[in-house]
Amino acid sequence: MADNSQNMSYQAGQAKGQAQEKASNMMDKASDAAQSAKESMQQTGQQMKEKAQGAAEAVKNATGMNN
């Protein structure tokens, strides 16, 4: 009877460890996705800033304000 109880306890511990590892892996994947989204947004923001600066320069050139 003690052997059966020990075996069940061992299996429960194994299952708990596997669940914790899966949860950790999911958190890592979520963190990676968030980091990727952050970098993508930063890149998009930089591109928009550069386009706006280019448009401002074009307006200045067209109106003669860059002289």
Side-chain angles (χ1 to χ4, degrees):
M1 189 75 173
D3 286 340
N4 191 26
S5 177
Q6 286 176 334
N7 187 32
M8 289 180 68
S9 179
Y10 173 79
Q11 288 177 351
Q14 288 288 100
K16 179 181 177 186
Q18 289 172 359
Q20 287 173 332
E21 186 173 347
K22 285 181 183 178
S24 178
N25 287 340
M26 289 177 66
M27 289 300 292
D28 288 344
K29 287 179 183 178
S31 178
D32 290 347
Q35 182 64 30
S36 179
K38 176 183 172 187
E39 290 169 2
S40 179
M41 292 298 288
Q42 287 174 334
Q43 185 178 22
T44 300
Q46 183 64 32
Q47 289 171 349
M48 291 178 68
K49 178 180 172 185
E50 290 169 3
K51 287 180 181 178
Q53 288 172 336
E57 285 298 314
V59 169
K60 287 180 185 178
N61 288 336
T63 59
M65 294 177 64
N66 239 1
N67 295 336

